Amino acid sequence: MSHVGRERHVTEEEFRVDPGAPVFFLSYARTKNRVAAPPRDTNSKVFQLFVDLSDHVVELLGLPPGRPAGFMDRMIDGGQLWTEDLAFAAGHSQVFIPLISPQYLNSAWCAREWDAFARRRFTLRPGAAATPGETPIIPVNWSVVERHRVPPVVSQRQMFTPTRLPSDIAPQYHDEGIYGLLSLGKNGKDAYDAVVWRLAQRVAKAYHTHWVQAQVPADMQQLRATFEEVGHDLV
């Protein structure tokens, strides 16, 4: 029986991971340039997180040359075109990292990326032990969202919370989000560095404890465009 987004135990022989697949998929709400604003990279902070996180994941997992640590859609038309690269990453990556923000929760594109990953069956690897609530979907606080505005399909997932850090860092992360820590410059750098390192460790743990079956979405129109629990189960 297939278990979409549910755990089941399988034998080691069943595991298959494409050697060209990224370890993680970074899902984020694309920010477009305002009409009156000069051209600039409005997603530069997301890219900084992607680069830093990728470096840590390569180090932690000892990935071979050519194996991508992560995937981030940086196409000019990102959030508009369901490319082959995006479909491959959504269907083969082993960890999904949604950057939760008000804009993310209002994005039909982000909902589709979430759904593409959540449809896939995942299971614990033989002998692996995961903390209750930990899954290959790791929601991250990008910019603060009021609790009552977070839909159940997201809130029922265990949000990433850094642990074993100086007592002031986790509250900073929760109050500011990673976007806020980056925006604070030097005042947020230490907290940012520590949070991203702990996030990389969480990604590495998920990679070692869970296996997610490959399932490439053939048609983006079949994917849920909202985070509401209507129709098939998004979780």
Side-chain angles (χ1 to χ4, degrees):
M1 179 181 294
S2 175
H3 296 264
V4 178
R6 302 292 195 271
E7 295 185 9
R8 72 179 185 90
H9 289 279
V10 296
T11 62
E12 188 69 44
E13 292 75 29
E14 291 186 65
F15 295 126
R16 297 289 185 276
V17 176
D18 191 297
V23 173
F24 68 86
F25 185 110
L26 191 68
S27 178
Y28 69 102
R30 286 72 167 171
T31 301
K32 305 297 182 183
N33 272 306
R34 295 184 177 87
V35 175
R40 62 191 177 92
D41 185 356
T42 54
N43 298 302
S44 59
K45 289 182 174 62
V46 178
F47 185 61
Q48 181 176 344
L49 169 63
F50 175 76
V51 171
D52 293 338
L53 184 60
S54 294
D55 286 346
H56 291 331
V57 169
V58 168
E59 181 67 25
L60 288 168
L61 295 180
L63 299 179
R67 174 75 188 277
F71 174 85
M72 171 187 172
D73 182 14
R74 296 202 76 211
M75 297 289 290
I76 294 176
D77 293 323
Q80 299 178 50
L81 297 177
W82 193 261
T83 64
E84 289 186 8
D85 287 346
L86 191 154
F88 177 84
H92 287 86
S93 58
Q94 292 294 295
V95 182
F96 184 74
I97 306 175
L99 301 185
I100 305 301
S101 67
Q103 189 175 355
Y104 188 92
L105 298 177
N106 289 325
S107 168
W109 192 267
C110 293
R112 290 188 178 102
E113 290 181 344
W114 178 297
D115 189 30
F117 191 92
R119 285 170 178 253
R120 297 166 59 193
R121 186 182 65 189
F122 69 85
T123 183
L124 281 174
R125 292 180 179 274
T131 302
E134 289 186 350
T135 75
I137 297 179
I138 309 174
V140 168
N141 179 21
W142 179 247
S143 59
V144 179
V145 180
E146 295 179 4
R147 183 180 296 273
H148 71 277
R149 296 186 181 277
V150 180
V153 71
V154 176
S155 63
Q156 67 187 10
R157 294 287 179 177
Q158 186 178 91
M159 290 287 291
F160 167 70
T161 299
T163 58
R164 295 175 289 114
L165 293 173
S167 60
D168 61 325
I169 289 183
Q172 271 189 282
Y173 163 73
H174 288 297
D175 292 344
E176 307 288 352
I178 291 182
Y179 179 89
L181 295 179
L182 285 169
S183 298
L184 288 170
K186 293 181 179 179
N187 291 327
K189 186 179 186 309
D190 288 346
Y192 167 79
D193 288 343
V195 168
V196 176
W197 172 244
R198 286 288 186 254
L199 177 58
Q201 290 178 315
R202 175 71 181 84
V203 170
K205 180 180 179 182
Y207 184 78
H208 285 308
T209 58
H210 289 84
W211 170 79
V212 188
Q213 185 178 48
Q215 181 180 333
V216 178
D219 182 2
M220 65 168 288
Q221 298 303 326
Q222 296 178 356
L223 300 173
R224 292 285 305 161
T226 73
F227 288 98
E228 299 301 322
E229 295 180 278
V230 179
H232 80 266
D233 189 0
L234 256 179
V235 300

